[in-house]
Amino acid sequence: MHAYADMSTEELELFRVACGFCSLRELCWPMGLEPPELARLHSMIRRSGPLGVGNHLFGVGERFTAIYAVRTGCIKSYSIGADGHELVHGFYLRGEVLGFDAVHPDRHRCNAVILEPSFVCVIPYKDIARLSVEFHSLHNQILRVMSREFSRQLKFADSSVATQRIAAFLMDIHSRLYQPGSAEYEFRLPMSREDISNHLRIAPETLSRLIAKMHRKGLIDVDRRRIRLLNPVRLGLMAQGKHHG
Amino acid sequence: MHAYADMSTEELELFRVACGFCSLRELCWPMGLEPPELARLHSMIRRSGPLGVGNHLFGVGERFTAIYAVRTGCIKSYSIGADGHELVHGFYLRGEVLGFDAVHPDRHRCNAVILEPSFVCVIPYKDIARLSVEFHSLHNQILRVMSREFSRQLKFADSSVATQRIAAFLMDIHSRLYQPGSAEYEFRLPMSREDISNHLRIAPETLSRLIAKMHRKGLIDVDRRRIRLLNPVRLGLMAQGKHHG
DNA sequence: ACCCCGGGCTGACATATGTCAATGCAGTAT
DNA sequence: ATACTGCATTGACATATGTCAGCCCGGGGT
């Protein structure tokens, strides 16, 4: 199950090419930049080696040195609440960018841990800051990514009803995981039930039960982390609280 | 009860002076800027006349034209959820800055409505964007304020327990409202119970009951919108989930 | 002074969710 | 093969919160 173990040589090759040719170009950070900026950006990016499950990218209180783009795998961002419980802020998948939690106090406000074997791109912050003065479009890009981050946090705050949050979560993960060619509505959750329950702020038992209920109603198929959305339309309505039962 | 009606002539005079001399300097947007930036910033700021309760500063979908700093009063930011319920994102008090919800899609994602008679400063965005290229410190300032915004949203997400959220809310509002000279632990909530309950995502009845309970336990004194914190220490512990009963 | 109105409070009840304990089950080591 | 280990599920029960209905009470108009 090691992502880096079953990569083809072609895929490995991809890891060596520039941002301008990167397969994640449309998903990731450089989206919307012009060739000259892309070239400069590429020159400051470092690609990580394979990162093993359980390793941390950064931790609470550490200095803000870089932002990270996920090439492969899944990274969990979390902190520990005053009561000792784990607060999962979010999950970062292929093409997504993390690390912006630390722009202001210059210290990370959360931990970032590898959930699945991952590769990331590392972009030193001071280089970005310097370059963003030079290229106005890059400055806008920073604001854009921060803003996207911002709205992502609000995604599950809407509803106080657990079923809604779960439906929204499943559809969200599906849309972020989906790639043309894979089975349309089937995917594998990269995180444990406990991580999900900490993220959605419900007890793991409640999560289990409600997932089972959605299964019974024919909305989804479940086998451990394997999920299949059988009725995306109803799920979508349910996520918006327009449909109960 | 009109804030602009009982202002002294001195206060009125304050409304005409530059950012560099503004009494909100330490609270507000320009904090941390040097005299040359302050002067430029001041030249692009417009002061609003008195804004009446119920008026909107901006609404969902409107173009992002400016950010706003509250000089006096209270402004509520909210949106309408898919189920039709009002989602209150937050409240903005004296010295606080709003409008950054719209940096990315260039459209406001929420509505901003006046809860108490208010004065604001209006800072056109395109001027800031232009100036932030010129002055690096201003660029940092933008990131800083956005980041503060960001963490504010997470403030009440911690706990799923209503009492904790209420305690945290009261202490938060108190700290933001406090000014030396006023009664140490007494203040007036600028918003209705319904607004609070929409913000904390609990039914207004539950809010009432839990406030009554905190009163019975001697933690606070309540008379309509007037609040007095009798035991801030225990309240703080309660906000962190370290103390129940 | 009186009435009206809206926000706020309270009670009774339904429901959702949390908690504690036990069991199942797959992957891993022995 | 067997036992072990950690995650996931399930059941029984306690509790928190939502819902519906009614009441109170202060402020503003007449």
Side-chain angles (χ1 to χ4, degrees):
Chain A
M1 190 44 70
H2 289 265
Y4 47 89
D6 52 39
M7 281 173 61
S8 68
T9 51
E10 292 155 286
E11 284 177 307
L12 282 169
E13 184 54 33
L14 270 178
F15 276 77
R16 296 193 197 95
V17 301
C19 287
F21 295 95
C22 173
S23 61
L24 295 180
R25 218 178 106 196
E26 299 304 318
L27 294 173
C28 156
W29 166 259
M31 169 194 77
L33 297 187
E34 297 300 320
E37 289 102 323
L38 272 176
R40 289 292 299 271
L41 188 64
H42 172 246
S43 71
M44 45 179 71
I45 284 184
R46 182 173 67 75
R47 281 167 192 69
S48 78
L51 303 169
V53 173
N55 289 323
H56 278 73
L57 226 46
F58 51 80
V60 168
E62 286 178 17
R63 275 210 108 82
F64 179 35
T65 58
I67 62 171
Y68 307 85
V70 179
R71 295 186 64 94
T72 306
C74 176
I75 291 166
K76 171 177 79 170
S77 123
Y78 73 99
S79 60
I80 305 299
D83 58 353
H85 279 175
E86 184 173 302
L87 279 168
V88 175
H89 301 170
F91 305 100
Y92 296 86
L93 308 177
R94 176 187 147 91
E96 300 177 344
V97 177
L98 70 155
F100 278 110
D101 61 296
V103 286
H104 165 44
D106 195 38
R107 300 274 172 183
H108 280 286
R109 275 200 273 260
C110 62
N111 308 288
V113 64
I114 316 291
L115 287 190
E116 282 192 335
S118 302
F119 286 86
V120 301
C121 291
V122 182
I123 308 143
Y125 179 64
K126 62 171 191 283
D127 293 342
I128 293 183
R130 184 155 24 84
L131 196 56
S132 75
V133 174
E134 198 175 328
F135 290 112
H136 193 250
S137 63
L138 185 57
H139 176 190
N140 279 342
Q141 188 63 4
I142 292 178
L143 292 180
R144 188 175 323 208
V145 174
M146 280 188 65
S147 174
R148 188 168 57 178
E149 216 22 42
F150 191 85
S151 59
R152 182 172 295 163
Q153 301 275 346
L154 297 171
K155 202 172 287 172
F156 304 115
D158 297 28
S159 145
S160 57
V161 183
T163 314
Q164 290 180 34
R165 293 209 297 280
I166 296 171
F169 177 76
L170 290 178
M171 300 210 54
D172 181 54
I173 292 292
H174 168 255
S175 72
R176 288 158 62 193
L177 236 35
Y178 178 74
Q179 299 184 47
S182 61
E184 186 79 21
Y185 285 114
E186 200 172 336
F187 59 98
R188 190 188 132 80
L189 293 169
M191 71 295 284
S192 72
R193 293 288 194 271
E194 191 183 358
D195 285 334
I196 299 175
S197 68
N198 282 334
H199 181 47
L200 300 181
R201 316 219 161 288
I202 53 186
E205 294 93 333
T206 305
L207 178 62
S208 249
R209 272 188 268 267
L210 293 179
I211 286 182
K213 195 172 175 187
M214 292 166 81
H215 183 201
R216 263 181 271 124
K217 289 195 192 163
L219 291 169
I220 58 174
D221 246 354
V222 191
D223 176 32
R224 312 207 127 244
R225 295 192 175 187
R226 201 102 224 152
I227 302 284
R228 197 166 153 203
L229 310 182
L230 297 177
N231 195 335
V233 177
R234 271 187 67 193
L235 270 179
L237 291 174
M238 180 172 280
Q240 300 185 334
K242 288 179 180 165
H243 192 296
H244 290 181
Chain B
M1 192 44 70
H2 288 265
Y4 47 89
D6 52 39
M7 281 173 60
S8 68
T9 50
E10 292 155 286
E11 284 177 308
L12 283 169
E13 182 55 31
L14 271 178
F15 275 76
R16 296 196 197 92
V17 302
C19 287
F21 295 94
C22 173
S23 61
L24 295 179
R25 218 178 107 195
E26 298 304 318
L27 294 172
C28 157
W29 167 259
M31 170 194 76
L33 297 186
E34 297 300 320
E37 289 102 322
L38 272 177
R40 289 291 301 273
L41 187 64
H42 173 245
S43 71
M44 45 178 71
I45 284 184
R46 182 173 67 74
R47 282 166 192 70
S48 78
L51 302 170
V53 172
N55 289 323
H56 277 73
L57 226 46
F58 51 80
V60 168
E62 286 178 19
R63 275 210 108 81
F64 179 37
T65 58
I67 61 172
Y68 306 84
V70 179
R71 295 185 65 92
T72 306
C74 176
I75 291 167
K76 170 177 81 172
S77 124
Y78 72 99
S79 60
I80 305 298
D83 58 354
H85 279 176
E86 184 173 302
L87 278 169
V88 176
H89 300 170
F91 305 100
Y92 296 86
L93 309 176
R94 177 187 145 90
E96 300 178 342
V97 177
L98 70 155
F100 278 109
D101 60 297
V103 286
H104 166 44
D106 196 39
R107 301 273 173 184
H108 280 286
R109 275 199 273 259
C110 62
N111 307 287
V113 64
I114 316 291
L115 287 191
E116 283 191 335
S118 301
F119 286 87
V120 302
C121 290
V122 183
I123 307 143
Y125 180 63
K126 63 170 189 283
D127 293 342
I128 294 183
R130 184 154 26 83
L131 196 57
S132 75
V133 174
E134 197 174 327
F135 290 112
H136 194 251
S137 63
L138 185 57
H139 177 192
N140 278 342
Q141 188 63 2
I142 293 178
L143 293 180
R144 189 175 323 207
V145 175
M146 280 189 64
S147 173
R148 187 168 57 178
E149 220 16 47
F150 191 85
S151 58
R152 181 172 296 162
Q153 302 275 347
L154 297 172
K155 201 171 289 174
F156 306 115
D158 297 28
S159 143
S160 58
V161 182
T163 313
Q164 289 180 34
R165 293 208 297 281
I166 296 172
F169 177 77
L170 290 178
M171 300 211 55
D172 182 54
I173 292 291
H174 169 256
S175 72
R176 289 158 62 193
L177 236 36
Y178 179 74
Q179 300 185 47
S182 62
E184 185 80 22
Y185 285 115
E186 199 171 337
F187 58 99
R188 191 188 130 81
L189 294 169
M191 70 296 282
S192 72
R193 294 287 194 270
E194 190 183 358
D195 285 334
I196 299 175
S197 69
N198 283 334
H199 181 48
L200 300 181
R201 317 221 159 285
I202 54 186
E205 294 93 332
T206 306
L207 179 61
S208 250
R209 271 187 269 268
L210 294 180
I211 285 182
K213 195 171 174 188
M214 291 166 82
H215 184 201
R216 262 182 271 123
K217 289 194 193 165
L219 290 170
I220 57 175
D221 246 354
V222 190
D223 176 32
R224 314 202 125 248
R225 295 192 175 186
R226 200 102 225 152
I227 302 285
R228 198 165 152 204
L229 310 182
L230 298 177
N231 196 335
V233 177
R234 271 187 65 193
L235 269 179
L237 291 174
M238 180 173 279
Q240 300 184 336
K242 288 178 181 165
H243 193 295
H244 289 181

